[in-house]
Amino acid sequence: MAAAGLEAEGLSAGYGGARILDAVSFSVPAASRLAVLGRNGTGKTTLFATLMGQTRRHAGRIVVGGRDVTSLGSAARARAGLGYVPQTRNIFRSLTVEENLIAGLKGRSRSALGEAYAMFPRLFERRRHRGDRLSGGEQQMLSTARTLLGRPSVLLLDEPLEGLAPIICEELMAALTRQAEAGTMTIALVEQKLESALDFADSVLILERGRIAWAGSARQLRAEHHVIERLLAVGAFAEER
Amino acid sequence: MAWNGALPNIRAWPDAAGIGSIALTILAGYLVFPDDLALLARILATSLLVVSLDLLVGFCGIITLGQAALFGAGAYAAGIAAVRGLSEPFSLLAIGAAAGGLTGLVSGAIILRAHGLAQLVLSIAFAQLLAETANKASWLTGGSDGLSGIAPAPLFGEFRFDLLGRTGYLFSAAVLIAVLAVLRAIAGSPFGLLCRGIRADPVRVRAMGVSVYPALLKMYIISGIVAGVGGALSAITTQVVGLDSVGFDLSASALVMLVLGGAGSLYGALLGTVTFMLFQHFVSAENPFHWLTLVGVLLIAVVLIAPRGLAGAARTIASRLVARWHPQASR
């Protein structure tokens, strides 16, 4: 599947009666990289869950590759090209690494598993281990690899680096960067590690209380220290750079 | 082992060793218990019922107490066909499989609309409906007297279904092994693994682009086919079909056998069926008044000591032995 653009228009959503997202609109061109930033509880995870059809949508529309997917269920959105790696790492813990990957083949032959192992050689070493015997980093790799095997045109990654050792973070971000540079998919990620997110992304959205508080390029954001300080509460970032 | 660009050990035909062991055990049963082959054939037919239940309970997390409906549909369909002149054993199996699959489609379409306790109640209601239909349609099914007069033709035109049960046992064994081989392949396929994923978390599976209801319905039909084959085998080898083959007792016993053996691997279903039915046979012969009490005690002991069933306990012991003797392999 080729990379596809992603658009949200006036998106309001939440859980039950509670409204978490409020009139969020943005557009990500095909084959580009978006980072969604914001402090805890600003609606980042809800945004991705809403794009996947896993929350209650109050208003707005979602377009993937020019196709309006707003009325589709979660499974149909995935078939339309959305791939989602949630914060909870959606692996099946009772299955082995290899079984998890096979479950994500979506009609492809088993030889496609080689793509996952080439991307994350560590998974090959652990291929006979059950999901519940993997470290957090290995679970993240597995979840990402399984989603990528389905060849999504838009990949949504929710805090892929959370709780991972620095070396695993580097390994994971290197693999994602290779995918992004291949231009075969559009990648949007929610990330708390600001430097990693800005190194990776072309463009950035910052959410504040369920609304877009700032949007621009990663380069622009690096220059606007006051935005980082005010919206992300990361005072030391400018000095560190 | 580090990744070197080549994919080793991707087996096209999984679990050849497991199925080979079962074949050897069945052969040993033939040689060691030549006077009990009729009982052993009944155990093999019932194994298919419990294996079919494992596909739903162990793989998909569907709660059902009406699996006998699928088994009984296969048994009655094959029995009725045999009474009406079609006696070729493989044709009877095909009829049983079709009837079981169709019943699986209809019952699955209804039962899968509900979840949890409502699903359980629907499964019981559907099975009771079918049992009552079989009872009322006595002109077709023999009603409470049972359907008799089933006389299957000799297998391959050569081997008669004799009173000692030799042909019935070997025929049942061959069918069971073939079905198991197919089911293990399905269990290791993306579809089978996704069904296990549905059991763990349907929301995750939906996010992978899989519609849960059609996938479960597909598994229900496969389960119906397997149970239907088991029912047809039972009709062929015992040459009688009674209301007990669609009854609640059989559904409940099948679930007990599955819990005893351990759900989710197919092998556990086999182990549970063999253990339960042999225990039932020998203990009821020794103590006809209190054997059910002893079955209860056995079940409580297994559930408390080995909550993942006999197969789960065997796996745990095997992995501990491997860890002790080959620490590298277990890492």
Side-chain angles (χ1 to χ4, degrees), chain B residues 86-176:
Chain B
L86 180 67
S87 57
E88 200 284 312
F90 285 103
S91 305
L92 294 178
L93 275 190
I95 288 170
L102 187 64
T103 311
L105 170 66
V106 176
S107 61
I110 298 166
I111 291 164
L112 293 173
R113 294 282 171 198
H115 301 280
L117 282 177
Q119 190 171 70
L120 186 72
V121 170
L122 274 181
S123 71
I124 295 169
F126 186 88
Q128 290 298 98
L129 201 64
L130 203 75
E132 194 51 26
T133 306
N135 186 27
K136 294 289 182 204
S138 54
W139 56 274
L140 184 67
T141 62
S144 55
D145 294 333
L147 184 67
S148 54
I150 299 167
L155 195 61
F156 303 117
E158 288 285 329
F159 306 102
R160 293 195 163 276
F161 285 88
D162 54 312
L163 280 177
L164 286 174
R166 277 185 296 234
T167 305
Y169 179 71
L170 292 175
F171 182 51
S172 302
V175 171
L176 175 68

Side-chain angles (χ1 to χ4, degrees), chain A residues 52 54 74-75 78-79 82 84 89-92 94-95 98-99 102-106 110-111 113-114 117-118 121 124-125 127-129 133 146, chain B residues 1-4 6-11 185 188-190 193-194 196-198 200-201 203-212 308 329-331:
Chain A
M52 277 311 296
Q54 294 180 350
S74 188
R79 288 195 293 272
L82 280 175
Y84 181 37
R89 293 159 192 159
N90 60 345
I91 64 162
F92 302 124
S94 64
L95 302 186
E98 193 148 290
E99 287 172 337
I102 290 170
L105 282 174
K106 286 190 175 177
R110 292 193 183 205
S111 60
L113 295 185
Y117 293 140
F124 181 74
E125 291 161 24
R127 69 192 185 283
R128 300 275 175 242
H129 289 240
R133 291 187 59 195
R146 194 182 64 193
Chain B
M1 187 182 189
W3 169 246
N4 61 7
L7 278 174
N9 296 332
I10 291 186
R11 292 165 294 178
S189 70
L193 294 169
L194 279 169
R196 287 171 66 185
I198 291 171
D201 190 344
V203 175
R204 291 177 192 172
V205 175
R206 281 193 194 98
M208 292 167 67
V210 177
S211 299
V212 167
R308 290 190 296 138
S330 66
R331 239 176 249 164

